[in-house]
Amino acid sequence: MEKVIEEVPLVLSARQFWGAVKIYTEKPHVINRRICGTVDMWVGYTNDAIFRETLVGRLKDLLESDTKVGVNGDATCSGKEPGPKEPEINTNSCDLSHQHQYPISLVTKGGGCPFSNTENFDSQCTEAESVDDKIKKALYSEGFRELNHENIESRSSVHEENEHHKLREIQSSTHPSHERKWEVPWQYLLEAKVAVISLIRRIIPKQLDKFIPTYEVVIMESRRGSVMYLNQSSLTTPSLGPRIHYSFTKTNTGVALSWFTKEGETENNPSLAWVQQKVLPKVVKWATEVKEDSEVEDKGSLRLIRVQEYNQLYQKLKAKYGKQLVKMWPEKTDPLKYVYEDIAIATYLILLWQQEREEKDLVNYQSFVDLGCGNGLLVYILCGEGHTGLGIDIKKRGIWDQFSPQVHLKEDVIEPSDKNLFPEYDWLIGNHSDELTPWLPVIAAKSSYTTRFFVIPCCPHDFACKYRRRDAGKSQYSDYLEYVKEVGSVCGFEVWRDKLRIPSTKRICLIGQNRTYSKEDAQKTIEDIDVFVRERERANSIVSEQREGNNITVEDGHVEKIQTSDKDKGEYLEKKHCISGLWSSNFKARDSVQQVRNCTQLKKGLREELVSTIANMLMEKKHIIQVEVESDVWVEWDRGGSMTMADIARGMETQQLQALKKECGGLQTLLKNHRHMFSLQNGQVYLQSPVPAWRASVPSERIKTKCCWFHQHHRRGCPLPSHLCVFAHGDDELREAITP
């Protein structure tokens, strides 16, 4: 029985509804953190009316059976002896549909029903068949057929049947099912070209040692404006997703959430509560963000590689390198961030290069150069997986000495010139390569016709200076990504864009794998590159002079649109370029020793003055709160008011702001460095509520190593007794910090 649980009032169009459904269907991992991604196994359609209760009941019997799905999609019964806990991972052969972004076929050709006597499908579902075969039989028996473009466009039923038989014969001989690229035709739902679309897909977990892949059937009804999610579940295995079957429907007044209940089931269900509290609000939010006159922009991650292979290989490399590298980490930076970030990037590159070898019939593993390799972890992992490579950085890191001699790392300054070309390597990598980022496509194009590039833009740099945003309507980061992509296009690359799954806010990668020009036109392309670089340098130089007070005008703030007749300046720049041998006369590599600018280098007196100024501003207002001292024992304490950072900045003296301006992060960084005193919530700054030692997650060796600011400076003192406070209430309690 289908029961409506909640309806959210909302005025929306069909495009907005299906846009939100598309986002949730293609990116469930945005909400469910247990999921790595999905693999579409089969897409079907029907133009006949479906009986929802009958269809759901038949599929529920299959999905709720105690059948497990192996990593490769094999069905195993829980009553039988289980297989190995961790299957052998073979990333060179996978039976899943490829998840490429370039090119994407709208639908897979093929059709008809490969099963005989579909009316009696239950008798044909043998134990040896996979789960998706059983589900397909059930869908075929309900009138669904395999979706292909010819079926939808042709309205002739006779022609349709003939084409089905022809295509079925072709596919059985030349197109094995595991090579198909399944794609849901969302436009067909908007235009109501088909009544119902069905999707069988596999849900891939992040942690293969804790969860197993499961199946999900998605039924989309275009004319009804409804989508059903029918999940495979088992009481004998941990839950990867909700253990219920549910639907979203576009009504005349909003979006309704329903679930399919069994007799005697109540709404007191954790899975139902999760869908209602987590999924429904997201679907409503996404619906409001879809513009009526535009398509849904696809911003999914890992679009260019196969998701299941990524998850398997990532888990393998994580087990192989993760703990070992964290344990041996000699740097002062956080090993958990850098180690697992580079493992994720290495996983992506290995699969991208594997697909390149398959598509181009390459035998040898690709070689690479990592420009600005930093700690060298990426080089170490890629070399450990069979690739030959070189890492170059302006400064040697301590961890380099921990690597074997087979990991080639070089301390050197890379300047863009003819002396720094790498024709003997296949790929150039720029992983947060700072000032070298826009030069990666240029160096790749000039190295050889076959050199490719992979870059993760981070700090915005132009060829010879900091990058200046060209489009005020975009963020600095988005505008810079477009610029680096433009540089790649000027260099003759077909530039692809993808989003990585790494613990960083800057996780977009740009890939130049294919050329847009023939080898015969290489010299002309290089000449076009030189012109582009010099024009950019000349434009940036003019803007710099304008900012210094010279009478030079630039149209609309765009550095490309220069109004100047100063030919001598251009001739001077070109002459300087020729003399220096560099491709840019003003390029400057970063210093090998980076100045620390995170508010930790402020003089102690100035830092204490800034902290006291902010705290006194907050204490001008009165706000009494309850502070827990012991279990169920509370005391009243005046926390003070709250202010925005803008209001705090306006209340500070000019010289204080100037001192902060010299530090990266400024006021916000100062507050975060003093999180034991300040709390930032929804743009508001508060004084922190002191937490007793028995509740605080502070290592024992750090307790009483600093004085309590509240005890010394707050007008009401510290609300905690001395023996319960993490900080020292007086010099006699202070003890030295123990360095591990």
Side-chain angles (χ1 to χ4, degrees):
M1 179 178 67
E2 186 174 7
K3 183 178 180 180
V4 177
I5 298 301
E6 181 182 354
E7 180 175 345
V8 180
L10 184 68
V11 178
L12 76 163
S13 65
R15 181 180 294 277
Q16 290 173 305
F17 174 76
W18 289 115
V21 171
K22 179 178 187 288
I23 295 172
Y24 176 56
T25 303
E26 294 187 344
K27 293 186 275 290
H29 57 274
V30 172
I31 302 175
N32 188 347
R33 296 299 182 182
R34 294 179 177 180
I35 294 175
C36 171
T38 63
V39 178
D40 294 345
M41 307 299 295
W42 185 83
V43 179
Y45 84 102
T46 181
N47 281 315
D48 301 328
I50 63 170
F51 297 96
R52 290 165 67 95
E53 297 290 340
T54 304
L55 177 61
V56 171
R58 178 165 282 180
L59 292 174
K60 282 176 68 175
D61 291 339
L62 292 173
L63 293 169
E64 293 180 0
S65 64
D66 220 9
T67 303
K68 302 178 183 179
V69 183
V71 174
N72 294 320
D74 304 324
T76 62
C77 297
S78 60
K80 291 190 173 184
E81 187 70 24
K85 185 175 182 180
E86 291 193 14
E88 184 69 26
I89 299 172
N90 182 3
T91 60
N92 292 320
S93 64
C94 184
D95 64 346
L96 300 178
S97 33
H98 292 30
Q99 297 293 305
H100 296 293
Q101 182 178 3
Y102 303 98
I104 290 179
S105 56
L106 178 63
V107 288
T108 300
K109 294 185 177 182
C113 176
F115 307 109
S116 60
N117 191 17
T118 57
E119 293 181 359
N120 188 24
F121 82 98
D122 291 305
S123 62
Q124 301 180 59
C125 290
T126 64
E127 203 171 88
E129 288 176 327
S130 64
V131 176
D132 58 323
D133 281 341
K134 295 179 181 180
I135 297 172
K136 275 189 276 188
K137 283 186 178 182
L139 292 172
Y140 277 121
S141 70
E142 293 294 325
F144 285 87
R145 63 181 67 238
E146 193 171 278
L147 188 146
N148 65 74
H149 187 65
E150 287 81 359
N151 294 2
I152 308 304
E153 298 301 328
S154 173
R155 291 301 182 187
S156 169
S157 60
V158 175
H159 173 76
E160 185 177 52
E161 288 299 323
N162 290 338
E163 286 298 308
H164 267 308
H165 288 294
K166 291 177 183 177
L167 290 168
R168 191 174 68 206
E169 292 173 1
I170 295 173
Q171 62 145 62
S172 62
S173 60
T174 61
H175 296 283
S177 61
H178 67 269
E179 293 181 356
R180 301 177 186 173
K181 302 179 183 68
W182 296 103
E183 187 81 4
V184 175
W186 297 99
Q187 195 65 27
Y188 288 177
L189 291 168
L190 286 174
E191 299 171 359
K193 284 188 175 183
V194 294
V196 189
I197 289 178
S198 58
L199 167 66
I200 304 173
R201 64 179 184 172
R202 192 176 301 151
I203 310 296
I204 310 301
K206 281 184 178 178
Q207 298 174 293
L208 293 171
D209 57 335
K210 293 184 179 180
F211 303 96
I212 59 173
T214 60
Y215 278 97
E216 183 177 61
V217 181
V218 185
I219 306 293
M220 294 159 276
E221 299 178 74
S222 62
R223 293 160 194 168
R224 183 187 177 102
S226 180
V227 56
M228 297 184 284
Y229 296 92
L230 312 177
N231 298 282
Q232 184 185 36
S233 62
S234 170
L235 297 176
T236 62
T237 58
S239 173
L240 184 57
R243 296 182 185 272
I244 62 170
H245 309 304
Y246 59 98
S247 69
F248 297 109
T249 303
K250 176 187 175 297
T251 66
N252 293 329
T253 55
V255 177
L257 166 66
S258 305
W259 77 313
F260 298 91
T261 67
K262 295 178 181 178
E263 187 175 348
E265 278 188 305
T266 66
E267 295 180 13
N268 187 21
N269 185 305
S271 290
L272 178 60
W274 183 83
V275 174
Q276 187 175 4
Q277 296 169 11
K278 301 293 184 181
V279 183
L280 178 60
K282 280 288 188 182
V283 171
V284 171
K285 176 180 179 290
W286 288 330
T288 61
E289 294 175 349
V290 176
K291 297 180 180 179
E292 175 61 27
D293 58 349
S294 65
E295 297 291 337
V296 180
E297 186 178 358
D298 190 353
K299 296 182 179 180
S301 59
L302 308 182
R303 303 297 298 176
L304 303 181
I305 61 173
R306 298 182 277 268
V307 174
Q308 176 159 331
E309 289 191 16
Y310 173 87
N311 193 43
Q312 292 180 4
L313 182 58
Y314 176 76
Q315 297 296 335
K316 175 185 175 182
L317 297 183
K318 182 179 177 182
K320 184 176 180 180
Y321 298 102
K323 290 183 180 180
Q324 165 202 347
L325 289 170
V326 170
K327 187 175 181 179
M328 64 181 271
W329 192 255
E331 308 293 334
K332 295 181 180 180
T333 51
D334 181 11
L336 294 179
K337 177 188 186 303
Y338 288 96
V339 169
Y340 293 108
E341 178 175 318
D342 282 353
I343 289 175
I345 296 172
T347 303
Y348 187 92
L349 283 169
I350 289 170
L351 292 178
L352 181 73
W353 293 344
Q354 175 185 307
Q355 290 175 186
E356 183 186 44
R357 293 196 302 274
E358 293 171 359
E359 294 166 2
K360 298 182 178 181
D361 293 327
L362 302 177
V363 177
N364 297 326
Y365 275 33
Q366 294 89 334
S367 57
F368 67 92
V369 179
D370 187 354
L371 300 178
C373 65
N375 53 46
L377 281 185
L378 186 59
V379 179
Y380 170 70
I381 298 169
L382 291 175
C383 290
E385 297 305 303
H387 293 273
T388 303
L390 169 67
I392 306 175
D393 199 273
I394 198 169
K395 179 185 177 183
K396 180 182 178 181
R397 306 299 200 275
I399 197 173
W400 288 14
D401 295 329
Q402 308 277 355
F403 299 142
S404 66
Q406 286 72 32
V407 180
H408 300 291
L409 299 171
K410 180 181 179 184
E411 184 178 8
D412 198 4
V413 177
I414 297 296
E415 293 181 323
S417 68
D418 293 337
K419 297 179 180 178
N420 288 308
L421 297 178
F422 306 93
E424 67 273 26
Y425 292 93
D426 299 315
W427 282 79
L428 301 186
I429 298 173
N431 177 15
H432 302 301
S433 48
D434 293 341
E435 72 278 2
L436 286 176
T437 296
W439 288 107
L440 259 293
V442 177
I443 298 173
K446 291 191 173 187
S447 290
S448 75
Y449 183 71
T450 58
T451 305
R452 290 84 80 189
F453 75 86
F454 171 90
V455 63
I456 306 175
C458 183
C459 301
H461 287 267
D462 210 328
F463 291 115
C465 62
K466 288 284 187 180
Y467 175 75
R468 299 184 179 95
R469 184 168 49 177
R470 300 181 296 176
D471 187 347
K474 296 180 180 179
S475 68
Q476 175 89 338
Y477 179 58
S478 298
D479 192 64
Y480 186 57
L481 288 173
E482 289 299 318
Y483 172 64
V484 177
K485 184 176 180 180
E486 178 188 346
V487 174
S489 299
V490 170
C491 294
F493 289 96
E494 179 183 336
V495 183
W496 300 345
R497 170 174 170 157
D498 204 353
K499 182 186 291 185
L500 305 175
R501 293 186 184 174
I502 57 177
S504 172
T505 55
K506 306 297 190 294
R507 49 184 175 170
I508 301 297
C509 67
L510 300 176
I511 301 167
Q513 184 170 331
N514 298 329
R515 303 296 175 102
T516 58
Y517 62 93
S518 64
K519 192 172 184 179
E520 290 72 22
D521 295 330
Q523 185 57 40
K524 181 181 182 304
T525 301
I526 291 176
E527 293 172 0
D528 293 340
I529 294 171
D530 290 338
V531 171
F532 179 81
V533 171
R534 291 176 191 174
E535 286 300 318
R536 286 293 302 177
E537 183 182 26
R538 183 184 305 175
N540 286 323
S541 178
I542 290 173
V543 172
S544 296
E545 291 189 12
Q546 181 191 27
R547 292 186 174 185
E548 292 170 3
N550 293 336
N551 295 322
I552 303 174
T553 60
V554 180
E555 260 187 29
D556 302 328
H558 288 254
V559 294
E560 294 92 336
K561 301 177 180 179
I562 308 164
Q563 292 182 344
T564 179
S565 58
D566 192 357
K567 295 182 180 179
D568 294 337
K569 183 177 183 61
E571 293 173 358
Y572 167 75
L573 290 174
E574 187 168 353
K575 182 179 179 182
K576 187 177 180 182
H577 162 266
C578 294
I579 295 174
S580 66
L582 298 175
W583 299 335
S584 173
S585 56
N586 293 324
F587 175 83
K588 184 180 184 301
R590 68 182 185 274
D591 296 330
S592 59
V593 179
Q594 296 293 302
Q595 181 183 359
V596 179
R597 298 174 62 200
N598 60 359
C599 292
T600 61
Q601 303 303 304
L602 289 171
K603 292 182 179 180
K604 184 178 179 181
L606 176 60
R607 188 165 64 246
E608 291 177 349
E609 177 189 332
L610 292 170
V611 168
S612 296
T613 300
I614 298 170
N616 289 332
M617 282 191 281
L618 295 174
M619 287 191 292
E620 288 177 0
K621 296 181 181 180
K622 190 174 182 179
H623 180 210
I624 304 299
I625 63 171
Q626 297 286 325
V627 177
E628 186 177 19
V629 178
E630 295 183 283
S631 181
D632 294 329
V633 178
W634 303 77
V635 297
E636 289 188 346
W637 185 65
D638 183 7
R639 184 184 190 181
S642 65
M643 299 177 68
T644 65
M645 285 196 291
D647 289 337
I648 290 175
R650 281 190 284 268
M652 299 177 73
E653 297 180 3
T654 304
Q655 61 267 28
Q656 292 176 327
L657 292 175
Q658 288 176 345
L660 278 175
K661 190 176 181 180
K662 296 178 181 179
E663 299 292 318
C664 293
L667 178 59
Q668 182 170 323
T669 303
L670 178 71
L671 295 172
K672 288 184 177 180
N673 288 347
H674 293 78
R675 64 188 64 190
H676 61 288
M677 290 180 52
F678 302 106
S679 170
L680 277 74
Q681 301 175 20
N682 300 321
Q684 295 285 322
V685 181
Y686 303 81
L687 283 177
Q688 193 69 265
S689 176
V691 178
W694 59 272
R695 273 191 54 195
S697 56
V698 179
S700 59
E701 62 268 14
R702 291 180 56 188
I703 293 179
K704 303 293 185 182
T705 57
K706 292 182 180 179
C707 288
C708 178
W709 187 93
F710 297 111
H711 175 75
Q712 293 180 336
H713 302 287
H714 195 281
R715 61 174 174 236
R716 294 281 297 271
C718 178
L720 301 175
S722 174
H723 68 282
L724 293 178
C725 185
V726 172
F727 300 95
H729 285 198
D731 294 339
D732 57 321
E733 292 186 6
L734 272 176
R735 61 191 185 89
E736 291 186 9
I738 300 174
T739 304

